[in-house]
Amino acid sequence: MLQKFGITVFLHRQKACINVDNEEYQVVPYKSIPLKNILAQNNIVLNKDDIVSCDVEMPIKPLAKIKIVRVTKEQKQITKKVPFRVTWKRQYNSNLRNVELQKGVQKDIKRTIDQVFYNGIFHNEEVVDDKILSKEYYQVVLFSSANVVEKIYDLSKAKRIEVIATAYYPGDVLAWGDGTVTVLGQKMQRGIVAVDPKVIPLKTRLFISGYGYGYAGDTGNLIKGKRIDLGVNNEKEEKAWMFRKTTVYILEESATY
């Protein structure tokens, strides 16, 4: 009897220590009782990601120092844009200014990340998911007179209109003012486009399929509704555009072409 009492006193003197939530618990170790039971007795609840310094299924030893790290996670999403990669291009140098039509791929990487905190202090990040979204589209690049990129237009976001096109040229006897001066008082040249201002506002930058860059700088008596008249260099080009269906992309209104 005295021997059992002595063992109990000895164990009490060799209590184990549990550190959790900035508190310290002094507990009595028993050979047959696992740590998880002792935690429950002390109302210490473990979360699924918490880190325990020893096996909760096993009994604890006298004088053991047990640490429980509270692990929490916060999820966030970040989007990384991969620069537009050109897969095809074509230059247009004869319409008012140098432009380049480019086809390419734009990729967005949407990454889901778990930020991991140990006892409320940032520890590391874990990538949970990566999604790559690819978009293939055309863009028009405008160059300045010094051949420096001035502006880029995404054609997938531009308003587009299906129209019937004709053409006229400087000296065309059927054109107003012999086709030499536009209604805006500008010199008529290849790239100037006559439009119906009710459909396409004057002083609008355009891109026209099969023709290239254009500027809405003129009108015409017969140019009504979804009709355009393209400025070209000569009669041969005019005939090539006789009542052709084409697509006009509205880039933006601008005081200059």
Side-chain angles (χ1 to χ4, degrees):
M1 189 74 177
L2 288 173
Q3 185 179 11
K4 288 184 178 180
F5 177 76
I7 293 172
T8 302
V9 171
F10 177 74
L11 288 173
H12 273 274
R13 287 177 179 174
Q14 299 191 68
K15 288 182 178 181
C17 176
I18 300 176
N19 288 297
V20 61
D21 300 328
N22 295 320
E23 292 190 32
E24 186 176 278
Y25 295 81
Q26 299 289 330
V27 297
V28 178
Y30 294 95
K31 290 184 178 180
S32 60
I33 301 177
L35 172 58
K36 65 180 182 180
N37 290 20
I38 295 176
L39 294 177
Q41 290 170 6
N42 288 272
N43 297 316
I44 300 172
V45 179
L46 291 179
N47 301 315
K48 67 173 185 176
D49 295 319
D50 290 345
I51 299 172
V52 185
S53 61
C54 60
D55 190 346
V56 296
E57 301 293 338
M58 300 294 293
I60 56 178
K61 297 179 180 180
L63 301 179
K65 292 184 178 181
I66 301 158
K67 291 184 178 180
I68 298 175
V69 177
R70 296 295 193 188
V71 179
T72 55
K73 295 180 180 180
E74 293 181 7
Q75 196 166 92
K76 69 174 185 177
Q77 289 189 332
I78 59 174
T79 300
K80 179 182 178 183
K81 290 189 175 293
V82 179
F84 182 81
R85 180 174 63 86
V86 178
T87 57
W88 174 91
K89 61 184 178 181
R90 177 181 175 184
Q91 291 188 335
Y92 293 84
N93 302 320
S94 56
N95 291 14
L96 302 174
R97 61 188 302 164
N98 292 343
V99 302
E100 188 169 87
L101 177 64
Q102 299 177 344
K103 181 182 179 182
V105 178
Q106 170 74 55
K107 290 184 179 180
D108 289 344
I109 300 175
K110 291 194 173 182
R111 179 165 292 169
T112 303
I113 293 175
D114 276 348
Q115 289 187 323
V116 182
F117 297 83
Y118 282 8
N119 293 329
I121 299 172
F122 176 78
H123 180 68
N124 69 340
E125 290 185 338
E126 299 173 352
V127 177
V128 178
D129 185 43
D130 262 346
K131 289 182 179 178
I132 300 177
L133 305 177
S134 295
K135 174 187 173 184
E136 186 176 63
Y137 61 94
Y138 288 88
Q139 65 180 23
V140 174
V141 181
L142 266 62
F143 293 91
S144 68
S145 56
N147 208 33
V148 175
V149 174
E150 183 177 303
K151 198 153 189 178
I152 298 175
Y153 299 96
D154 179 350
L155 292 189
S156 69
K157 296 179 180 178
K159 178 182 177 181
R160 66 179 189 177
I161 305 173
E162 304 299 322
V163 299
I164 300 296
T166 51
Y168 70 116
Y169 55 92
D172 188 343
V173 294
L174 297 179
W176 178 83
D178 291 335
T180 56
V181 180
T182 71
V183 72
L184 296 179
Q186 298 172 323
K187 175 186 175 183
M188 191 279 156
Q189 55 189 305
R190 199 179 203 282
I192 294 292
V193 181
V195 299
D196 181 347
K198 293 180 180 179
V199 179
I200 300 173
L202 284 169
K203 299 183 179 180
T204 299
R205 289 174 174 174
L206 311 169
F207 188 83
I208 299 134
S209 296
Y211 177 75
Y213 181 73
Y215 186 71
D218 206 357
T219 58
N221 291 331
L222 299 178
I223 309 305
K224 303 298 181 185
K226 294 182 179 180
R227 282 282 314 276
I228 59 173
D229 210 12
L230 304 174
V232 294
N233 291 324
N234 50 51
E235 186 178 356
K236 181 180 179 181
E237 283 190 279
E238 178 201 22
K239 290 180 180 179
W241 277 99
M242 191 62 67
F243 297 104
R244 276 173 55 176
K245 291 182 180 181
T246 189
T247 303
V248 176
Y249 293 88
I250 309 297
L251 303 182
E252 68 171 337
E253 292 187 42
S254 174
T256 61
Y257 56 72

